[in-house]
Amino acid sequence: MTIHFAGKEASLTLGRSYCDICLRPSPLIAKIPLFSYIFMRGRCKLCNKLKLPIYFFSELSSLLLFITILCVIEGHSFSQLVFLYAIALFLIGLSIFDILTRRLPDIATLPFLLLGLCLSFWLQNIDFQDSVFGAIGGGLITGIVAETYNKMRGKVGIGWGDVKLISAFGAWIGWQALPLFLFLSSISGILFIFLRSVAIKQFNAKEQIPFGPFLCASGWFLLLQTFN
Ligand SMILES: [Zn+2]
């Protein structure tokens, strides 16, 4: 079984990775992050089919997020920086999972919420009380909005996975940063829909986009702010 995490093809067996189109074992060159995609022009060396650019972008964001951590290195311990990078990789993996499957599984969001409650004081000096209020406030507000929208329109606007992820970020960044977090996530999502419809010259009001990547990007930005 091959899983994709943070843009790297990782096999659950003995570390072999496979082409996700022809399912043949990837050659060594295909395992070099970023460069393999550029050298092979996004194609699989074996079947010559175009590979999903999502993995290239995930590798690129792994690198970019690593650089953002280098900017906030001062005054923090090595273990804090390693943990922060682990969060970055987790968020990239979660975003990809949401894009590919339109799901934010409980197995990922709930431990992230629990870790936020337990570790935000250690990582970013967020008061435990602020963290608890952030988790409850974020979950409650968006939960009510999701339920109301669902009842009024008879369809899902904000998924329950999104609600749990918002609650988790509330625990990580504290209740004070919640309004800005929700604002940034919504505005970046709306901006993406607008730019995309301009690019493809087509607008579909009913089209749903995965909200997870926008939550992860805005949450990461605010997490770095509180980390400083
Ligand atoms: Zn292939």
Side-chain angles (χ1 to χ4, degrees):
M1 181 185 174
T2 304
I3 53 164
H4 294 281
F5 184 71
K8 290 170 184 67
E9 289 173 341
S11 171
L12 287 182
T13 49
L14 282 170
R16 289 211 77 159
S17 62
Y18 297 85
C19 163
D20 37 49
I21 305 160
C22 63
L23 302 176
R24 281 185 279 181
S26 304
L28 201 61
I29 189 172
K31 292 176 184 171
I32 309 167
L34 288 174
F35 293 103
S36 62
Y37 195 86
I38 298 167
F39 288 150
M40 298 192 289
R41 299 201 172 108
R43 286 177 187 276
C44 165
K45 206 173 188 310
L46 301 169
C47 62
N48 203 34
K49 295 229 169 80
L50 270 176
K51 295 189 114 190
L52 286 174
I54 196 168
Y55 300 117
F56 173 73
F57 284 112
S58 70
E59 284 163 4
L60 189 65
S61 36
S62 308
L63 179 69
L64 290 177
L65 295 197
F66 183 72
I67 294 169
T68 62
I69 290 175
L70 292 182
C71 300
V72 294
I73 207 163
E74 221 171 292
H76 299 101
S77 68
F78 180 70
S79 53
Q80 283 176 319
L81 295 169
V82 169
F83 194 80
L84 192 64
Y85 193 53
I87 295 179
L89 296 182
F90 166 76
L91 294 178
I92 293 168
L94 192 62
S95 300
I96 293 172
F97 194 84
D98 193 22
I99 292 168
L100 295 179
T101 66
R102 303 286 169 107
R103 277 186 64 236
L104 292 168
D106 286 353
I107 198 168
T109 51
L110 296 182
F112 187 52
L113 164 65
L114 204 65
L115 279 178
L117 290 171
C118 299
L119 297 177
S120 59
F121 179 74
W122 167 71
L123 195 67
Q124 318 118 274
N125 219 6
I126 301 274
D127 272 347
F128 181 65
Q129 212 175 324
D130 295 344
S131 177
V132 172
F133 284 144
I136 296 173
L140 212 60
I141 295 166
T142 44
I144 291 169
V145 172
E147 192 58 30
T148 312
Y149 186 90
N150 199 351
K151 284 235 165 77
M152 284 171 70
R153 304 284 293 266
K155 59 183 180 182
V156 178
I158 308 171
W160 286 108
D162 296 321
V163 173
K164 287 165 200 160
L165 185 59
I166 290 166
S167 173
F169 271 118
W172 278 105
I173 57 179
W175 67 270
Q176 295 92 335
L178 262 184
L180 186 58
F181 168 57
L182 294 174
F183 174 76
L184 287 177
S185 317
S186 321
I187 218 74
S188 54
I190 292 167
L191 198 68
F192 173 81
I193 294 174
F194 173 74
L195 291 176
R196 186 167 168 268
S197 49
V198 168
I200 62 170
K201 296 184 180 109
Q202 194 181 320
F203 180 72
N204 179 5
K206 284 183 183 157
E207 191 193 20
Q208 290 200 322
I209 55 155
F211 196 35
F214 302 100
L215 291 173
C216 288
S218 314
W220 173 254
F221 174 73
L222 289 169
L223 212 122
L224 276 188
Q225 300 299 311
T226 50
F227 191 68
N228 255 320

